[in-house]
Amino acid sequence: MGWTSEVVAQTYNISREKQDHYAHISHSRAEKVAVLVTTIPLAFPDQNAVFYTSSMIPPGPRSR
């Protein structure tokens, strides 16, 4: 998070530890959703539809 986290810590009185904890929770949730999106088949009337999934969420430390 770098400089932004320092500004947030000072401006809003939120410690770096709390920011890191929330970031970990948020990343874990996003990772779970990404797995669900890629493993649950989607049923749509238009069989010619093309769906793309995002690979922007890197695996978390527990997944490596």
Side-chain angles (χ1 to χ4, degrees):
M1 288 194 284
W3 179 248
T4 302
S5 60
E6 296 300 328
V7 171
V8 169
Q10 290 178 351
T11 304
Y12 299 103
N13 196 27
I14 301 172
S15 70
R16 287 289 307 267
E17 291 79 18
K18 281 193 173 211
Q19 292 179 59
D20 290 344
H21 178 70
Y22 180 77
H24 176 73
I25 291 170
S26 178
H27 187 276
S28 297
R29 290 175 181 166
E31 190 177 19
K32 287 177 187 175
V33 169
V35 169
L36 285 175
V37 167
T38 58
T39 57
I40 297 174
L42 303 174
F44 290 94
D46 182 4
Q47 297 300 319
N48 296 321
V50 178
F51 298 95
Y52 298 95
T53 59
S54 173
S55 60
M56 297 300 293
I57 303 170
R62 288 177 278 152
S63 303
R64 291 184 187 158

